[in-house]
Amino acid sequence: MKKWISLAALATVVVATASGCGSNSNDNGNTSATNANNSASTNGGTEASSSEPVELTFWGDWGGEGQKQFETMVDAFNKSQDKIRVKYVLQQDMITKFLTAATSGGSPDILFWDRWRTSLYAPKNVLHPVDEFMAKDGLNKDDFYGEALKELSYQDKLYGLPLTVDARALFYNKKILTDAGVNQPPTTWDELEQAAIKTTKWNGNKLEVAGFSLGDNGLFNMYLQQAGGQMMSEDGTKTNFNNDQGKAVLEYWDRMLNQDKVYKVGFEQGLGEGTDAFVTGKLAMQYTGPWMLSTYKKYGKDLDFGIVPPPAGPNGDKGSVMGGFGLVIPEGSKHQAEAWEFIKWWTANKDNALLWAKTSLNIPGFKPALEDPFFKDDPFWKPFLDTLEFAKIRPAHPGYSVMEGDALIPNLQLFQQSKQSLEDTLKKAQQRGDQLLNDNAEVK
């Protein structure tokens, strides 16, 4: 297991490194930042005098450690050149404030962006496409995860660059599995079920160790992919889970919940970060993402765990959902060219993407950074990188999130609580889901 370097010490080292890169004339991001005025004059940006840097406002909704991580990157950029100054501003209820600012003339210049929102807000003409910037600077789209770029696109226009990518993988407690006689982590649904059965411990009616977490029914999409299905019809207008693949997922869940009894609904409810069931040895296996690595390092000093890609479904299909964030430029920004220079410096430069990764323990969307030993030599990253090769983004339909949240999830909850049959669950989720997709097909 890799010995993790303290974030504070690491940030200090890499900030200094990135700052030093500012004088490197062949460094793509920093050189471009130095030439920002040229870009500004040719792309509608604001001309800056030679003595006064252009001031940019960067809005995001990450506070606490996330804010410190953003400020580390902002400081590194500001030190790398003297033409542009960026300031990070933490915004609560950021989207509401952004929409207000977009019509009142107070728009920020850069937004930290949950990528799935692109299909909802690009049609409102509040985001600025970056295709011309990409072409001008000769950036290669193949250097980024295609699914992430797809999520930042609408009607063949690209509205930003991916800052992070993530996907769920299977975390397993090595000691619990070994003590139960499970010598290898599961690679298939059947192996996962058998490992969960062996590692589950009941004391009378009390579940002491759950073999596998079934607490997040929002992962239905991932299971459906593993069963060979997909959430939406081929034309992207209707749900596509009331079928044999959807039935296979719910039968699998039902078997593990009610026959194998490897989990109890509500088992993890109310547990905080430091009392996480996986950290405290009350959970043998679970699906989660790279964002939990720092938590398990912080609270699980005696926790010996491994990670593998999600087990394949009954016919060998793989599946996981890609998520993550991006950086976008509001249409109302008065300094779009300079904003692009900042985004490019951060997300399309190997050294700076790596600085971000080491600072935040996120996987950057810029693939060349993943060739660094920081990722190659750490066994914790490989399963996520392997998973990202087949992970798919959520469908881009404007009503997808509403469908999932208001139609699918409530019915899945009733099913898991044994209050609704499998057939009724899929049928009602489909009927309500198709209605919501139709009602939200047009962005207003």
Side-chain angles (χ1 to χ4, degrees):
M1 182 184 299
K2 176 178 178 177
K3 183 178 180 180
W4 291 83
I5 302 172
S6 78
L7 290 181
L10 185 55
T12 301
V13 172
V14 291
V15 166
T17 302
S19 299
C21 290
S23 60
N24 186 349
S25 61
N26 59 11
D27 180 290
N28 189 29
N30 291 323
T31 299
S32 297
T34 303
N35 295 332
N37 276 350
N38 294 335
S39 299
S41 62
T42 57
N43 290 284
T46 301
E47 295 281 359
S49 72
S50 58
S51 60
E52 296 182 1
V54 174
E55 302 283 345
L56 301 184
T57 302
F58 167 32
W59 280 13
D61 54 6
W62 277 11
E65 286 299 317
Q67 181 171 353
K68 294 177 183 176
Q69 294 160 7
F70 281 166
E71 289 172 345
T72 294
M73 299 305 297
V74 167
D75 288 346
F77 174 76
N78 289 340
K79 290 176 181 176
S80 73
Q81 45 74 52
D82 59 5
K83 303 297 184 183
I84 303 170
R85 311 302 292 173
V86 179
K87 180 180 180 181
Y88 175 67
V89 179
L90 172 64
Q91 292 286 1
Q92 304 296 337
D93 196 12
M94 183 179 72
I95 296 302
T96 300
K97 291 179 180 176
F98 166 57
L99 293 177
T100 300
T103 57
S104 65
S107 176
D109 300 295
I110 306 118
L111 272 181
F112 175 59
W113 191 249
D114 205 343
R115 290 195 303 264
W116 67 268
R117 292 182 172 133
T118 305
S119 63
L120 286 178
Y121 293 96
K124 297 178 184 291
N125 297 316
V126 295
L127 303 178
H128 187 74
V130 299
D131 303 274
E132 291 187 5
F133 292 132
M134 289 280 289
K136 175 181 70 67
D137 289 322
L139 297 190
N140 184 355
K141 290 186 176 180
D142 291 340
D143 283 337
F144 302 89
Y145 281 96
E147 287 288 301
L149 291 183
K150 186 191 302 183
E151 201 166 30
L152 281 164
S153 301
Y154 177 75
Q155 291 187 343
D156 297 325
K157 291 184 179 180
L158 179 64
Y159 286 92
L161 289 178
L163 181 64
T164 71
V165 291
D166 60 58
R168 305 270 182 153
L170 185 71
F171 283 58
Y172 63 97
N173 185 309
K174 291 183 178 179
K175 184 177 186 305
I176 294 178
L177 263 65
T178 299
D179 289 349
V182 181
N183 297 320
Q184 296 293 330
T187 60
T188 66
W189 274 18
D190 183 58
E191 291 178 2
L192 176 62
E193 182 180 2
Q194 294 307 312
I197 292 172
K198 292 179 179 177
T199 53
T200 299
K201 293 181 180 178
W202 286 85
N203 184 2
N205 293 325
K206 182 181 179 182
L207 179 59
E208 293 188 335
V209 177
F212 177 62
S213 176
L214 288 162
D216 188 354
N217 53 30
L219 300 181
F220 179 85
N221 182 357
M222 181 178 72
Y223 286 92
L224 188 67
Q225 292 178 44
Q226 294 166 2
Q230 57 185 24
M231 292 293 287
M232 300 282 288
S233 58
E234 288 295 336
D235 64 4
T237 62
K238 295 182 178 180
T239 63
N240 190 38
F241 47 70
N242 186 12
N243 49 32
D244 288 344
Q245 290 77 25
K247 184 179 178 183
V249 173
L250 295 196
E251 286 177 340
Y252 188 59
W253 288 7
D254 179 58
R255 197 164 63 247
M256 290 216 284
L257 273 173
N258 300 313
Q259 297 179 33
D260 303 333
K261 298 187 183 302
V262 303
Y263 190 77
K264 182 178 181 180
V265 174
F267 180 67
E268 298 168 85
Q269 189 171 359
L271 298 180
E273 193 177 47
T275 56
D276 179 286
F278 191 69
V279 169
T280 55
K282 296 178 180 178
L283 180 63
M285 297 179 288
Q286 66 170 341
Y287 282 128
T288 190
W291 55 85
M292 291 304 294
L293 291 174
S294 59
T295 297
Y296 294 154
K297 174 183 178 293
K298 180 177 180 180
Y299 294 103
K301 291 182 174 56
D302 298 325
L303 176 65
D304 187 10
F305 66 97
I307 308 168
V308 291
N315 295 314
D317 293 291
K318 299 178 180 178
S320 190
V321 178
M322 179 185 287
F325 298 89
L327 295 178
V328 300
I329 304 171
E331 191 61 82
S333 167
K334 298 175 182 176
H335 309 289
Q336 292 171 349
E338 290 84 355
W340 167 252
E341 296 302 328
F342 175 66
I343 291 175
K344 184 179 65 176
W345 175 92
W346 189 344
T347 65
N349 176 282
K350 179 180 177 180
D351 291 337
N352 300 327
L354 197 58
L355 167 61
W356 166 240
K358 293 177 178 178
T359 301
S360 68
L361 295 185
N362 279 293
I363 302 173
F366 190 59
K367 287 185 174 181
L370 306 179
E371 299 300 320
D372 189 87
F374 177 76
F375 288 104
K376 289 292 186 181
D377 295 346
D378 188 337
F380 279 158
W381 290 119
K382 187 177 187 308
F384 291 113
L385 300 182
D386 290 346
T387 301
L388 285 168
E389 292 300 315
F390 57 80
K392 303 293 184 185
I393 60 170
R394 287 166 288 191
H397 190 290
Y400 179 80
S401 294
V402 177
M403 179 282 292
E404 197 175 56
D406 293 352
L408 179 61
I409 299 299
N411 280 291
L412 292 177
Q413 289 172 340
L414 293 174
F415 174 75
Q416 286 193 319
Q417 295 165 3
S418 299
K419 296 179 179 178
Q420 185 167 265
S421 70
L422 183 155
E423 291 76 14
D424 284 348
T425 295
L426 293 177
K427 181 180 179 180
K428 290 181 179 180
Q430 176 199 11
Q431 291 175 339
R432 178 63 175 152
D434 286 344
Q435 178 187 343
L436 289 171
L437 289 174
N438 184 63
D439 292 346
N440 292 276
E442 298 292 333
V443 178
K444 300 175 182 177

